Amino acid sequence: MSTGAERLRAGARRAWAELRPVLAAEAVAALGEAESDAFLARADLALYDVHEPLAILYGDAADALFARGLRAALAAAAERPAPLRRIDRRREIDPAWFQRSRTQGYVCYVDRFCGTLDRLPGRLDHLAGLGTTYLHLMPLLRPREGENDGGYAVADYRAVDPRLGTMADLEAVAAALHEREMVLCIDLVLNHTAREHPWARGWLAGDPSYAGFYTAFPDRTMPDAYDATIPEVFPDRAPGSFSWVPEARGGAGGWVWTTFWPYQWDLDYTNPEVTLAVLGEITWLANRGVDVFRMDAVPFMWKRLGTSCQNQPEGHSLLQLLHALTRLAAPGVVFKAEAIVSPDDLVAYLGGHDRYRPECELAYHNSLMVLLWSSLATQDVRLARQALRRMRPIPPAASWCTYVRGHDDIGWAVTDEDAAAVGLDGFGHRRFLNDFYAGRFAGSFARGALFQENEATGDARVSGSTASLCGIEDALDRDDPVALDAGVRRLLLLYSIVYAFGGIPLLYSGDELALRNDASYLEDPALAPDNRWMHRPPMDWAAAARATDPATLEGRVCTGIRRLGEVRRSLLALRGGVESAVVDTGSDAVLVWRRKHPRSGAFVGLANVSPQPQEVDADTVTGFGTFAWVHGSDGPLGVRDGRLTVPGLGFAWFAEP
């Protein structure tokens, strides 16, 4: 171990030796004998995960902050309701609870799904019928009034958007989910608050309690220096990373750090008071019944001059610290990283460093999502094979969240290195994908739209619902049953991969019914400038009622999605904690991956992204005939002359008995 690392650990042991006897007495008083013993045991285990990040981030103040952080966690533990403590106990016995093959997610906006939070418990039968055990409700904490970045400009972490209900309603939703053995995930914006947040108002007013919560510069010298190396997030409507605020700096005015929109002010985590304040919000929400926090915009949390101000080492230390302290108070809670970054940077948010450090248990497998859409457009999986094989493995205690579509636009996170390895030009390929999914490419089946197009650089992202990007909308408009069948097969093909690649598959609301692009957002002046609302359609409950009829479009898709979940739940090999290995079986149009959990036999999945039948090596896929066909789009597949034929846009799952 390096001298520096040993010094950090020695400092942690010394600080804990001094604090532990005092904290033990406080814990007994707050929790009682049994609960205090459990709390101290957790603190023993988390010692280095708490103290070392504090020393790295805040230097000589680490010991004092260590004591404050542990006492904050103890206070939150004492306030934790008994039903949530029982859930904690179960999850401490089964710490990999979220890795089970029964864990399956559903993602929705409350207002678009059911209107208000108080109506949500009445819609849980629909989710249960899909096999849902994990419900992610998109931004619902109280945002600023007016433009609010789709709810990500939070004005109060401890209140719900009044259009959706109250915090009591959210607690009731959490309780209803827990009764059905479902978990609640919500978004928590860590990088910034709305300028209307009490912290921001206090900072602006000069309240010493909020001094240093945000950053403001008197002139453009430092902002220009930072902006020279920071990529713009919204170049057309919010260029640069700073906004002029006349009221800042005691009324002298200043350039406030605003990575995203001018009304979203970046928190300054170099101030430990910010870190402790955010910890307080996390544990307070955890005690309302939140099981999973989607940590929004985590790559941006720490800034360094001369860099992109993303993925900084201190940002990882900060996540490690917040995670450890939260788990002291609420050991059943897990973190999910929203880190839409390059594959080389992504694994670190799951703790994948040279030396493992717990940060987030979950992260979005953005690369897989992008590579699936790329493969569908090119009818070629070589880029996917290359990029997925090159990704570093994730720690076994962590899992991916796999998904076909999310609430956001699709940015083509394809590296130039991976593109070149399969003979593609990275820029040209990304441009092709934009053209293809925006319907600009000859022969495209997609009905998407470009988001944040930068005509000067050619950069853009894509908006559009899964069904519309898969060709279902186009086929319906042209009344083409053959094209419609192909569109349905594409949608189910993509979901067959995310349900079996490993991790938690997330079903985006409406995809189970093949809901298409929704143009009604154009009628709302607050939403009209953001075409991402086209793929956030209101739930169509009339369409949901048709889902039981296999002769309808909704019935075909919903039946297919449900069946994927049913078979998934029966396969231990699809449990998290192990990696999928992508293999080449002789066809560049068929993605093939293999999994094997230590307590299961092998699993092999196949997905043919071409509309034409493809042959693959049968022995590789079937384990020389020992793996049984367990599910697929077209029934058991035939073998001839050592080759197995996969139908066009078809998939198949094989498993070792």
Side-chain angles (χ1 to χ4, degrees):
M1 184 179 294
S2 70
T3 303
E6 178 53 40
R7 187 165 55 249
L8 286 172
R9 298 208 161 192
R13 291 191 294 269
R14 174 188 46 74
W16 185 223
E18 294 176 2
L19 179 63
R20 196 183 196 284
V22 179
L23 193 69
E26 295 174 11
V28 170
L31 298 172
E33 291 284 350
E35 287 284 346
S36 67
D37 191 56
F39 179 86
L40 291 170
R42 293 197 294 272
D44 283 331
L45 288 172
L47 170 60
Y48 299 136
D49 292 322
V50 175
H51 194 278
E52 285 188 27
L54 285 169
I56 290 169
L57 297 173
Y58 306 118
D60 293 341
D63 286 1
L65 293 169
F66 179 64
R68 290 179 62 192
L70 290 184
R71 287 190 168 102
L74 175 59
E79 295 169 0
R80 192 149 174 82
L84 299 180
R85 292 190 191 189
R86 287 196 293 272
I87 293 173
D88 289 338
R89 295 296 86 75
R90 292 199 296 269
R91 292 177 184 168
E92 285 189 294
I93 293 169
D94 179 20
W97 60 270
F98 56 88
Q99 293 184 329
R100 290 185 179 186
S101 57
R102 68 179 291 272
T103 306
Q104 184 179 312
Y106 190 90
V107 183
C108 65
Y109 286 86
V110 173
D111 56 339
R112 306 225 145 201
F113 182 69
C114 61
T116 52
L117 282 165
D118 60 342
R119 298 178 187 172
L120 202 152
R123 294 297 189 181
L124 293 184
D125 285 346
H126 175 76
L127 301 182
L130 294 166
T132 305
T133 62
Y134 169 116
L135 178 61
H136 178 183
L137 300 179
M138 296 302 291
L140 49 71
L141 301 180
R142 188 168 75 81
R144 71 190 298 268
E145 294 183 4
E147 191 176 355
N148 56 44
D149 191 25
Y152 289 101
V154 176
D156 187 349
Y157 289 114
R158 301 194 181 196
V160 166
D161 185 335
R163 294 168 295 185
L164 304 179
T166 66
M167 187 57 69
D169 292 331
L170 183 62
E171 290 186 70
V173 166
L177 290 170
H178 292 154
E179 287 177 5
R180 291 178 176 245
E181 297 188 353
M182 297 179 185
V183 302
L184 172 63
C185 172
I186 71 166
D187 293 87
L188 189 70
V189 184
L190 293 185
N191 179 69
H192 49 263
T193 69
R195 62 171 293 157
E196 291 79 8
H197 192 281
W199 299 347
R201 294 202 306 269
W203 174 77
L204 211 58
D207 186 334
S209 299
Y210 304 107
F213 267 50
Y214 304 87
T215 303
F217 295 104
D219 55 44
R220 285 296 309 181
T221 303
M222 290 306 297
D224 286 344
Y226 278 107
D227 273 343
T229 57
I230 297 177
E232 294 175 314
V233 178
F234 299 120
D236 59 342
R237 295 182 58 209
S241 297
F242 299 86
S243 299
W244 179 255
V245 178
E247 307 94 323
R249 301 178 59 251
W255 291 94
V256 174
W257 203 308
T258 57
T259 294
F260 292 86
W261 298 105
Y263 51 78
Q264 291 168 307
W265 292 2
D266 287 34
L267 290 163
D268 186 351
Y269 283 97
T270 63
N271 177 1
E273 298 303 324
V274 171
T275 303
L276 292 174
V278 168
L279 171 68
E281 304 306 277
I282 297 171
T283 54
W284 191 88
L285 286 165
N287 283 349
R288 310 279 82 72
V290 177
D291 303 280
V292 182
F293 288 96
R294 173 191 178 272
M295 299 303 204
D296 183 71
V298 290
F300 300 89
M301 291 167 62
W302 200 274
K303 280 68 170 172
R304 176 177 281 106
L305 187 64
T307 73
S308 66
C309 291
Q310 296 182 38
N311 308 310
Q312 298 303 305
E314 293 88 348
H316 289 287
S317 295
L318 185 58
L319 267 180
Q320 180 186 7
L321 172 64
L322 290 172
H323 177 267
L325 288 171
T326 299
R327 297 269 294 186
L328 288 182
V333 167
V334 300
F335 285 5
K336 176 169 63 174
E338 192 263 345
I340 309 305
V341 295
S342 75
D344 294 333
D345 294 318
L346 185 56
V347 174
Y349 291 96
L350 291 167
H353 304 276
D354 291 339
R355 294 184 178 130
Y356 170 66
R357 302 201 310 265
E359 293 184 30
C360 296
E361 287 84 358
L362 303 171
Y364 289 95
H365 204 327
N366 179 62
S367 293
L368 178 66
M369 182 271 293
V370 167
L371 292 165
L372 295 186
W373 288 109
S374 172
S375 299
L376 206 60
T378 60
Q379 302 178 24
D380 192 314
V381 301
R382 285 177 297 166
L383 178 61
R385 279 202 304 252
Q386 157 67 23
L388 292 170
R389 283 173 171 172
R390 198 172 64 83
M391 286 190 72
R392 292 186 293 126
I394 67 174
S399 281
W400 291 116
C401 288
T402 53
Y403 63 113
V404 170
R405 189 78 187 86
H407 76 288
D408 223 339
D409 52 276
I410 301 176
W412 303 112
V414 174
T415 68
D416 291 342
E417 177 184 355
D418 286 330
V422 295
L424 296 173
D425 171 71
F427 176 81
H429 183 61
R430 292 187 290 270
R431 187 111 186 211
F432 158 73
L433 292 173
N434 280 324
D435 288 343
F436 187 91
Y437 285 107
R440 295 179 173 182
F441 192 83
S444 171
F445 48 75
R447 290 280 189 92
L450 295 184
F451 176 73
Q452 293 288 342
E453 183 178 14
N454 187 326
E455 295 183 1
T457 65
D459 291 333
R461 284 107 78 188
V462 164
S463 296
S465 74
T466 298
S468 294
L469 296 181
C470 282
I472 291 174
E473 180 180 343
D474 178 69
L476 290 171
D477 285 350
R478 294 189 293 108
D479 193 22
D480 185 336
V482 175
L484 179 60
D485 181 68
V488 170
R489 289 178 69 87
R490 288 187 194 99
L491 188 152
L492 293 176
L493 177 77
L494 294 176
Y495 271 104
S496 78
I497 301 170
V498 302
Y499 268 60
F501 201 79
I504 300 177
L506 302 179
L507 175 62
Y508 189 69
S509 181
D511 280 3
E512 74 272 28
L513 305 174
L515 297 189
R516 278 79 69 198
N517 290 339
D518 172 41
S520 66
Y521 79 97
L522 294 170
E523 300 167 8
D524 185 336
L527 304 183
D530 186 345
N531 71 15
R532 291 176 297 180
W533 287 103
M534 71 167 54
H535 56 252
R536 303 166 183 172
M539 187 62 175
D540 186 339
W541 291 106
R546 296 192 292 272
T548 56
D549 181 355
T552 65
L553 169 63
E554 296 84 4
R556 291 175 63 189
V557 172
C558 199
T559 298
I561 294 287
R562 285 175 175 161
R563 184 60 181 153
L564 289 172
E566 290 168 1
V567 180
R568 171 189 160 79
R569 291 191 287 277
S570 72
L571 296 172
L572 185 58
L574 297 185
R575 183 186 177 110
V578 295
E579 292 284 81
S580 289
V582 177
V583 296
D584 185 348
T585 57
S587 171
D588 288 337
V590 182
L591 184 68
V592 182
W593 67 101
R594 181 184 173 110
R595 297 180 58 77
K596 190 178 189 306
H597 190 273
R599 300 190 67 180
S600 79
F603 169 91
V604 177
L606 300 86
N608 179 8
V609 298
S610 164
Q612 306 303 320
Q614 300 290 322
E615 291 187 346
V616 297
D617 179 67
D619 289 341
T620 302
V621 170
T622 67
F624 294 94
T626 63
F627 302 166
W629 178 92
V630 292
H631 187 41
S633 55
D634 300 270
L637 305 182
V639 177
R640 181 177 179 181
D641 298 329
R643 307 291 289 173
L644 185 149
T645 301
V646 188
L649 301 175
F651 70 90
W653 293 355
F654 290 83
E656 187 177 8

